[in-house]
Amino acid sequence: MTARTARGAAAATVAAVLITGVAACSQPAGSGGSGAADSAVVGIATEPETLSPLLGYGKDGNSKIFDGLLAHDAGMKLKPALAQALPEVSADGRTYTYRLRPGVKFSDGAPFSAKDVVFTYRTILDPTTNNASRTELDAVENVEAKGEDTVVFTLKYPYAPFAERTVLPIAPEHIAGKQDVNSGEFTTKPVGTGPYVLTGWSKGEKLNFRANPGYWGGEAAVKKFTMAVIKDDDVRATRLRAGELDAAILPPNFAKALSDQHSAKDKARRTYAAKTFDYRNVTLPTHNEVTGDPAVRQALDIAVDRTAMVEGLLEGAGKPAYGPVPTDSPWFTPGTERAHDLERAKRILDDAGWKPGGDGIRVKDGVRAAFPLWYTSGDKIRQDHALAFASDARKAGIEVRTEAGTWEVIEPRMKTEAVLAGGGSPADPDFDQYLLLKSSLGGDGFNNMAWYDNQAVDRALDEGRQSGDATARKAAYDTVQRELVKNPGYVFLTHIDHLYVVNDKWDGLTTQVEPHDHGLGSGPWWNVESWKPKQK
Amino acid sequence: MARMAGRRLLFAGPVLLAVTFGVFAIAALSPFDPVKAYAGTAGLTASQAELDQLRANLGVDRALVPRWWDWLTSALTGDLGTSSVMRRPVAEVIGERLGWSVLLAVCAFAVAVLAGTALGVLAARRRGGPLDRCATSLAYTLEAAPAFWLALLAIWLFSIRLGVLPSGGLTDAASEVVTAGQVATHLVLPALVLGISQLPWFYLYVRQGVADALDEDPVRGARARGLAERKVLLGHALRSGMLPMLTLIGSRVPELITGALLVETVFSWPGIAAATVEAATSVDFSLLAALTVLATAAVLAGNLLSDLLYGLADPRVGFDG
């Protein structure tokens, strides 16, 4: 080695040290914060804009900071929370009376009472409050306190699922009532009655919680609870693998990769697949001359291979969907499953006069059986579903052109062009079916995107909404599902499982049936307050 | 020198004013709907009446000019308005995040400038040598590599394989307090990645500048007079070789801001860059306008800085030129 190359090598070494030295002089980070058994760190994908229930946070129940009058158990059955018992409903279905649990305190020590409930509901119903979900309380005519411990709701019309709406969190009047409801400090520094108290929110990074020692349900065993906000799926999987997270929500391929690795460290992980009402469907707009034809709708509905989609796109983590109600729900109507039957689809189209043209695409009265299908750009699962749908439709002689766009691009076209949509709400069949199928809501915002119009369905929806009788309600929603077989307004493709990978450190983990939205309370940590450290 | 700085500052006023108006105009033309952004997923089930009510509450259906004027006049009195996407006063949002972004950017810049200069000088000294060949090809590779990819690579190596550095956040996820020690360890990877992604430009400029200077007559003369190699290199060649780099320092500022955007996202760094994207896609006028003013000011200051440095380093350059 000449002196010259030796000096060169030395210089290169110096340079390398210079670059990596910055890294070397910091102490090892250790196992992050996830060592202790009384603390849990979970990785979530989306962050709420606000933590104020008055602006819509936690409206579907299960907020860690707040309680509603009622709450859901693991099976999504209603149970009392801030109320002592389920409400008393008057015979005409228009008056709901709640008796409140005595001795409950907000985490700042102030007592909870009926006036906080009245304040919460009245504020949400106030049009100057920027709460985009106010429509959900449309049925409420009045809410008032009868003394300290009783609240009475009067409805404009009988609304059977109303009790499901009262899981929404109750805000303290003595704090939230003294500031601007839309931008006050309460929107980011909430105070509630729930099992956890927010101790810090570093926006874009994490939310820190501590067990509320004065919680009426008893203090939680997991004392410190952290939600790390990590938007990117790759990064979330990586940080879980690096040991910085105890649990995370992951897309199917990542969850599979993590559970397939059997290193010593990875063995202590479990995958939880939460059953959901989260569907993906294709709207069939009535105002399009192709998708508006009942024969085309019916043909498409059986031309799609749902099972292949579940296996191919979701790695098996999901179910074929035949309507908004998943097949394992008690609200599902057995017998409405449709098998993949390409030959019958072709026959239906032939019989209706859609004859194959020169390029294999069918034509009827000079109209080509072709329509565009929009999906939201950047959403891989929707894109995959759209492409699979288009490929299945092509086999039946219908051309579906898939196009990507943002909602701003898609919305003005929804009346005549198909959209790969998603939704789902497990609490009550009324919640999404009414908005999805009621003819009078056609084109009202994002409600009834396909402008579905079926009088039998309209009548059944009203019956299901107003009847207080469980059997009558079941019959009504059976009618809806049977009508959707005869005249589909949407092709329902799949119900998607939500996957969570969790370190195996606790007992008592379950998942709830989950909606389309990923709230903070979704996932195995929906009941983190009742987790117990595993006995070694 | 003071005259140039003063003139630039006078000029900055109208530029900033025009930029804020531009932001409002472009945002008003953009296809994004602030009401939908505000409502989030709830907007997908809201009725039209509900969305109209929100639109009125948020005041986003007002005309462009009065809205801009209102924002400007209250901004001048110190009230930056309320961010609709963060649901908080804009001043609070910026105050909370800006410091972390500045810390990240300054550290990254230091890494890029110092390491880039050192490597550049060493490479220029032995052009074609092993260090030069390695560093230059590496620099071209890095120039092409997206910061996002570098970040994932760094996490894979330092957090997963070696387990020596945390892969994200400002502090350990479970930690409720922000301590200097924690921030220091969490800062290393993002600052290194951002710094290294900027390094090639500095390295290549310095290498070229110093190499050219070494061939120039004054340096050859200095060598011929028997001056020490060190003195020739640092005193003469580096001084004139640094000139192009000084302009570079200022012009890299915008790049640093966009680079920080990706790096902050990957490392869950709670800085201002991530908020900027959110503000833009949500048409959050108040936040977006304030952030744009900040970014424009940073670019103007960067240009001023590089001109000042250039003038100081090369006496032939007049400040009034």
Side-chain angles (χ1 to χ4, degrees), chain A residues 47-61:
Chain A
E47 187 176 29
E49 289 86 16
T50 168
L51 291 175
S52 168
L54 304 170
L55 299 181
Y57 165 67
K59 67 185 179 63
D60 297 316

Side-chain angles (χ1 to χ4, degrees), chain A residues 19-32 238-239 241-244 265, chain B residues 151-169 171-172 181-193 267:
Chain A
I19 297 175
T20 53
V22 197
C25 62
S26 63
Q27 70 267 43
S31 60
T238 304
R239 291 186 68 181
R241 198 177 299 171
E244 288 166 41
K265 211 166 139 194
Chain B
L152 287 177
L153 200 69
I155 292 179
W156 175 79
L157 181 63
F158 291 103
S159 306
I160 299 187
R161 304 306 301 183
L162 303 177
V164 289
L165 285 168
S167 62
T171 54
D172 287 344
Q182 289 226 345
V183 173
T185 50
H186 283 76
L187 179 64
V188 175
L189 279 189
L192 214 57
V193 167
F267 289 100

